Amino acid sequence: MSDDPRLPSSSSPDDGLEARLASVRSGIADAARAAGRTADELTLVVVTKFHPASLVRELAALGVTDVGENRHQEAQAKAAELAELPLTWHFVGQLQSKKARQVRRYAHVVQSLDRESVVDAFAPTDAEPEPTVIDGFVQVNLTEDPDRGGVRPDAVEAMVERVLATGTIRLRGVMAVAPLDEEPRRAFARLRGISDRVVSLEATATDISAGMSGDYADAVLEGATHLRIGTAITGNRPVAP
């Protein structure tokens, strides 16, 4: 058991966490070399959905600086409990517009900008004329399923213009999940082409968030800058509360 009084008494360190993290970091370095890149070009975002704050604390002690969360209530609670740690919080799940302003209070980056109503919710209001500026990614739907999160590829430019118009979102680039029925590298190549279109509108929006536990090497080969990796590092997720 940890003797850290800030940890819940029922939590215990994950003995395999350090080894899994080291394995993924090694894999990222190998993928970067294969792509003619360096690991320093890549940001590892460890997704800790359903895992306790104590695990995030362990990750921070192992040098993790970027953490991803999918659900607002869970993310908000963890960020508050771990407020003293130098972490960058990424919101990576589908976001309801009515929760956007609450998310802005703890998240530094929102990677799932996929609807006009969500983007507009970050704009200044009479009650909050000078809100905090956050970093944002436009999420792209690479599938044919309109119910999946993300903007259609042919609507990306319009969404980018909407983001830029808010004045309170610093556009970093694009984000996507590879479809289950498509070879990941092919999907990420399409995302890279979409990224090029975004950069033509906003020269600084060069980041690409792509690649998860099973396909991050393909994402690195296609120019990903941010890798969202969960179970390969954290282990199997606990049952949803």
Side-chain angles (χ1 to χ4, degrees), residues 113 133-138 156-174 192-208:
L113 300 174
V133 176
I134 61 164
D135 287 352
F137 289 72
V138 170
V156 167
E157 282 84 355
M159 186 60 69
V160 166
E161 296 286 6
R162 195 90 172 197
V163 171
L164 296 176
T166 67
T168 58
I169 301 173
R170 184 184 300 107
L171 182 63
R172 295 286 300 274
V174 293
R192 187 173 196 169
I194 294 169
S195 172
D196 291 341
R197 288 159 42 197
V198 171
V199 172
S200 72
L201 296 173
E202 176 54 62
T204 62
T206 57
D207 288 336
I208 300 174

Side-chain angles (χ1 to χ4, degrees), residues 140 142 174-176 187-196 208-210:
V140 182
L142 296 178
V174 293
M175 181 272 258
F188 295 142
R190 290 194 288 121
L191 182 63
R192 187 173 196 169
I194 294 169
S195 172
D196 291 341
I208 300 174
S209 177

Side-chain angles (χ1 to χ4, degrees), residues 36-68:
R37 305 171 64 190
T38 67
D40 291 343
E41 300 174 39
L42 303 167
T43 297
L44 170 61
V45 181
V46 182
V47 180
T48 57
K49 179 180 179 181
F50 299 151
H51 287 281
S54 57
L55 183 133
V56 180
R57 193 180 295 282
E58 290 180 62
L59 288 166
L62 294 171
V64 169
T65 57
D66 292 74
V67 177

Side-chain angles (χ1 to χ4, degrees), residues 117-141:
S117 61
V118 171
V119 173
D120 293 347
F122 288 104
T125 63
D126 290 340
E128 197 176 10
E130 296 184 2
T132 302
V133 176
I134 61 164
D135 287 352
F137 289 72
V138 170
Q139 182 177 356
V140 182
N141 183 357

Side-chain angles (χ1 to χ4, degrees), residues 96-112:
Q96 297 178 333
S97 55
K98 64 183 180 181
K99 300 292 186 182
R101 292 187 181 89
Q102 295 178 49
V103 168
R104 179 166 56 200
R105 293 172 189 161
Y106 61 83
H108 305 92
V109 188
V110 174
Q111 294 204 17
S112 49

